[in-house]
Amino acid sequence: MSRIGKAPIAIPAGVTVSVSDKNLVSVKGPKGELLQQVDSDITVGQEDGNIVITRPTEQKRHKALHGLYRALINNMVFGVTEGYKTTQELVGVGYRANANGNTLELTLGFSHQIVFVLPSEIKVTTTADKGKNPTITLESIDKQLIGQVAAKIRSLRKPEPYKGKGIKFAGEVLRRKAGKSAKK
């Protein structure tokens, strides 16, 4: 746990990091700004163009928080410089996705359409190429938020194990089951 926390975080050009007196870390970059409240036991400082996180003792709780906050701040630095992107596929006959601003309209084989309102920090695009599954692409600077929204979209119609129909992440390998006919 503590080995992750000991690694310094390099601050790229164009990124400014500031820590308030109440341990609120602010990271500003070319893509936006992110804030993270850090536990009062953990100290965040800057040395030689790097962010250094230190813990007061070797307690198990402090070791866990040390690695956690180092990873969160590293994700913030990466997010404001390059950003995060996830792609999901809709597998199934008649499954469609349509993006209008910050709303996502999904047709997933139910008797009704699902209208999913996305947070303003996330940009969504959909594609429906002929002969390929429709895809949903989410882009954001916040790794936690984009992961949570992608998981919520996936939970609307999880891939089933027999035919693989549902919403899956691009490149995800599903564990498939044999049907009744395989029992001979």
Side-chain angles (χ1 to χ4, degrees):
M1 283 186 256
S2 63
R3 286 181 290 212
I4 293 171
K6 289 178 184 176
I9 303 167
I11 302 174
V15 175
T16 57
V17 178
S18 61
V19 182
S20 73
D21 54 346
K22 295 183 179 176
N23 252 7
L24 182 70
V25 178
S26 169
V27 179
K28 286 184 186 177
K31 291 197 176 233
E33 178 182 6
L34 291 172
L35 301 170
Q36 176 66 48
Q37 181 66 46
V38 178
D39 192 86
S40 60
D41 291 343
I42 305 297
T43 5
V44 180
Q46 294 185 25
E47 292 177 4
D48 304 328
N50 292 329
I51 304 169
V52 180
I53 292 105
T54 54
R55 63 178 184 257
T57 66
E58 294 294 317
Q59 291 178 6
K60 191 172 185 176
R61 177 180 175 275
H62 288 156
K63 285 183 178 182
L65 290 176
H66 190 208
L68 168 75
Y69 287 119
R70 191 265 177 207
L72 291 177
I73 293 170
N74 188 45
N75 290 343
M76 291 166 55
V77 171
F78 184 84
V80 297
T81 55
E82 298 182 32
Y84 291 98
K85 184 177 180 180
T86 61
T87 307
Q88 295 176 312
E89 294 179 10
L90 280 67
V91 180
V93 177
Y95 286 15
R96 286 189 291 276
N98 188 19
N100 294 327
N102 70 335
T103 61
L104 183 65
E105 296 172 2
L106 300 166
T107 306
L108 300 174
F110 297 119
S111 61
H112 59 282
Q113 270 196 331
I114 298 170
V115 179
F116 191 85
V117 180
L118 296 161
S120 59
E121 296 91 0
I122 293 183
K123 291 181 225 148
V124 63
T125 55
T126 57
T127 58
D129 297 332
K130 191 170 182 171
K132 294 184 180 177
N133 293 327
T135 60
I136 303 167
T137 305
L138 302 172
E139 293 182 52
S140 178
I141 61 172
D142 192 348
K143 185 175 185 177
Q144 293 174 349
L145 182 66
I146 198 170
Q148 185 177 9
V149 169
K152 180 66 177 167
I153 291 171
R154 185 179 190 269
S155 73
L156 297 173
R157 187 69 142 188
K158 287 185 181 174
E160 53 96 15
Y162 298 103
K163 292 186 179 179
K165 290 169 53 172
I167 301 173
K168 67 175 193 138
F169 290 103
E172 179 182 4
V173 178
L174 298 174
R175 189 166 172 210
R176 301 293 291 270
K177 289 183 179 179
K180 286 183 181 179
S181 62
K183 191 181 175 184
K184 285 189 179 181

